[in-house]
Amino acid sequence: MRTDLRTVRLVLAEPLRISRSTMAARDAVWLTVEHDGLRGHGEAVTSVYYGLDTGTLLRLLRAVRLDRFADPESALEALPDVVPAAPPAVTAAVEAALLDLVGKRADAPVHRLLGASAPPVAATARTLGITSLAHAAAEARRLAASGFRVIKVKAGAPDPEDDVERVRVVRDAAPGVRLLLDPNGAWTFRQAEALLPRFADLGVEAVEQPLAPGDPEALAALAERSPLPVIADEDAVDVEDARRLAGRVHGVNVKLAKCGGVRAALRVAEAVEGSGTALMLGCLTASSLGLAPAVHLADRARWADLDGHLLLAHDPWSGIGGADGLVRASDRPGLGVTRADLA
């Protein structure tokens, strides 16, 4: 098997401000694996939070030796040995490229390889960053008119009252949508205790990672007394974290780049099954190529937050939808995505 790497710049339609940073663009590294005339593709994106810059991703992906395997099926089976000690984002990108190629060789979409008969469809949340009240209201109206049923509002402004007012104007502008809240760990325990009842009164359905990561016991204690569901994100990185939190928080946010790919996500799902802890499928800002593997799992989650490609000024791949509020796995072989310049 032959591999190829390409780096591209993904520019956001507008900067996304969250509690700890503001992002206007990020790099993506595309991995292409070719075997017997067919190609599989995967994507890894840079992340300051996860300590992955472009050079690091390129170095780690260049170290992946797939040419020692007879075919992509055997490489996929041996994936832990293919990328030993690699960051989860790298493992996820290699797995995605191999799944795409294996699916094309079997003439089957990835969701069918994973045991689903019909292409998953899910209502995805659409993220609104920390922004002005007028802009938040205008965006909420636009999104609701476009068909979005779920809006996720970022929180963690220096003055928490700004967060409350932003949710209030979003609720007024889009009264029919479901609301999620994500402070990205910006609040103290005392702040969260005071704020969550107010957000519950505004109709917020659930809150992601209200407390700074690193103290999952505090997050579990908050969940026990919270008037709305608490979803662990930064405190739920892998399957061991999920096991520790199962039954103690209301949800865990599974990002493939965080846990290590599709099969790692399925292990997380198995770890929390029957515990009362539900799944959220999340993502980083990425292209449709980067989002596609998670979309093939979208029917397994209570909450889908798979809008990373919708935040881009230009998505170089297509095939998972989302502009009307619904992401859809393709029934085409593999991941089912197409690069715009090759269409």
Side-chain angles (χ1 to χ4, degrees), residues 206-217:
V207 60
E208 284 183 67
Q209 196 68 43
L211 306 181
D215 190 353
E217 293 300 316

Side-chain angles (χ1 to χ4, degrees), residues 76-96:
L76 186 61
E77 185 64 26
L79 186 62
D81 297 325
V82 174
V83 284
V90 172
T91 304
V94 175
E95 181 196 57

Side-chain angles (χ1 to χ4, degrees), residues 2-186:
R2 189 177 69 86
T3 61
D4 183 60
L5 297 174
R6 177 181 174 184
T7 304
V8 296
R9 188 74 165 164
L10 301 177
V11 179
L12 277 67
E14 60 180 56
L16 177 66
R17 180 187 169 197
I18 65 174
S19 61
R20 60 176 178 253
S21 64
T22 300
M23 181 177 63
R26 72 185 341 151
D27 285 342
V29 179
W30 294 341
L31 168 67
T32 298
V33 182
E34 184 174 354
H35 183 71
D36 285 347
L38 293 174
R39 294 177 178 179
H41 306 281
E43 177 179 270
V45 294
T46 56
S47 170
V48 173
Y49 183 79
Y50 293 117
L52 295 173
D53 57 23
T54 310
T56 300
L57 287 175
L58 286 170
R59 175 177 58 79
L60 292 168
L61 287 166
R62 284 177 182 137
V64 175
R65 295 295 306 274
L66 297 178
D67 54 356
R68 58 194 176 97
F69 295 95
D71 50 52
E73 291 81 6
S74 58
L76 186 61
E77 185 64 26
L79 186 62
D81 297 325
V82 174
V83 284
V90 172
T91 304
V94 175
E95 181 196 57
L98 290 171
L99 280 170
D100 191 28
L101 184 52
V102 168
K104 289 172 180 175
R105 281 164 57 84
D107 196 29
V110 164
H111 63 265
R112 200 175 303 157
L113 298 180
L114 300 173
S117 57
V121 179
T124 181
R126 176 64 160 78
T127 301
L128 294 180
I130 298 175
T131 186
S132 71
L133 299 184
H135 185 62
E139 280 294 283
R141 280 191 292 270
R142 181 183 70 81
L143 292 170
S146 298
F148 282 86
R149 308 172 196 171
V150 189
I151 292 177
K152 183 167 86 168
V153 183
K154 290 290 188 178
D159 184 354
E161 292 301 320
D162 291 343
D163 295 331
V164 175
E165 286 307 305
R166 191 176 315 105
V167 170
R168 191 186 311 279
V169 300
V170 169
R171 166 55 72 222
D172 290 343
V177 305
R178 297 159 54 198
L179 292 181
L180 303 175
L181 188 70
D182 185 7
N184 287 108

